[in-house]
Amino acid sequence: TEHIDKTNDGYCDKCDEQMKRDEDTPVYDWEVRDGTLYVKEGVEFLGEYWGDEDKYGHLYKGRLYEDYGNDEFQPPYVTEPFDKLHLPSTLRVLGEYALYKIPFFEEIVLPEGAEELCGGFMESCHAKRVYLSSTVRVVEPGAFEGAYNLETIDVSPDNPWYTSVDGVLYTKDKTTLVAYPPGRDDTHFDVPTGVKEIGARAFYDDW
């Protein structure tokens, strides 16, 4: 297993202790099997987090994909071809740019255990569908910004915080429209009866 050191180097004053622990811990641990990129069990965070430093500041790790120039993005040290992504049950937070420019996948399925989707976690991701598991409890404003191919946001029926109606994300009680998929080419949308609030940046990339 390759050790890829993406620990925070100065952005967070509270990171020192975690950084010392990370020196002996792989930041990402993955492998390709049968055309699927498996991010191995044990990984709790993907992306960049600029929010609550007390809670997540020490988890700054870097993107799943790294830019190698000429707009070529691939996981470091992965050379085998793959067209599917499997995320681990240990994953808790998808930070900003977690799935940046991932080109291969039609859909992203978030595992049971995932809890928080940060703003911009799907920036420039090519997926057309994302599925939120029952454990996703926080979807930040702008979580789907820049996901210009995204047409459908689906949610597990067992999720107590969110639901999906015709691929649009709402709070469970359907009083707040949280996010409208930016990849749709609609020119008209009727907000359902009962919606009392449009979430911040819910239509940011749509019209």
Side-chain angles (χ1 to χ4, degrees):
T1 301
E2 297 285 352
H3 176 80
I4 307 166
D5 188 0
K6 291 289 180 184
T7 50
N8 193 338
D9 189 18
Y11 289 100
C12 170
D13 293 335
K14 301 179 178 68
C15 298
D16 291 344
E17 182 178 348
Q18 181 68 32
M19 288 172 66
K20 292 176 182 177
R21 291 199 298 268
D22 286 344
E23 289 177 0
D24 298 317
T25 304
V27 172
Y28 292 136
D29 199 3
W30 43 37
E31 64 181 351
V32 175
R33 300 196 313 266
D34 300 323
T36 298
L37 175 66
Y38 288 86
V39 180
K40 294 184 179 180
E41 295 296 317
V43 173
E44 298 182 358
F45 181 89
L46 291 174
E48 302 174 0
Y49 194 91
W50 305 104
D52 184 348
E53 292 183 350
D54 289 326
K55 187 176 183 182
Y56 291 123
H58 64 282
L59 289 173
Y60 178 94
K61 300 294 187 185
R63 305 168 183 174
L64 175 59
Y65 269 47
E66 296 296 325
D67 185 357
Y68 286 93
N70 299 319
D71 212 30
E72 295 180 0
F73 289 78
Q74 64 182 32
Y77 303 106
V78 171
T79 58
E80 300 174 59
F82 58 92
D83 57 11
K84 295 180 181 179
L85 173 68
H86 182 272
L87 298 172
S89 63
T90 53
L91 185 64
R92 296 293 177 264
V93 181
L94 286 96
E96 185 180 14
Y97 300 127
L99 304 179
Y100 186 63
K101 286 203 173 184
I102 289 181
F104 303 114
F105 314 121
E106 286 288 312
E107 67 176 9
I108 301 294
V109 177
L110 302 181
E112 292 296 320
E115 298 179 357
E116 183 168 354
L117 308 180
C118 300
F121 90 97
M122 284 188 68
E123 172 72 34
S124 300
C125 178
H126 292 211
K128 295 182 179 179
R129 173 181 178 264
V130 62
Y131 179 83
L132 277 58
S133 60
S134 68
T135 54
V136 174
R137 58 181 178 81
V138 176
V139 178
E140 289 189 354
F144 305 99
E145 283 181 16
Y148 297 117
N149 291 325
L150 186 64
E151 300 174 355
T152 302
I153 304 169
D154 285 331
V155 182
S156 166
D158 297 325
N159 187 302
W161 298 282
Y162 297 101
T163 189
S164 176
V165 178
D166 296 328
V168 179
L169 184 64
Y170 300 84
T171 52
K172 191 68 173 184
D173 60 7
K174 300 180 184 178
T175 60
T176 300
L177 192 162
V178 178
Y180 188 89
R184 293 190 175 182
D185 58 2
D186 301 334
T187 57
H188 178 85
F189 175 73
D190 291 317
V191 176
T193 302
V195 172
K196 299 178 181 179
E197 181 179 355
I198 304 296
R201 295 152 71 179
F203 290 92
Y204 187 82
D205 283 326
D206 292 287
W207 290 299

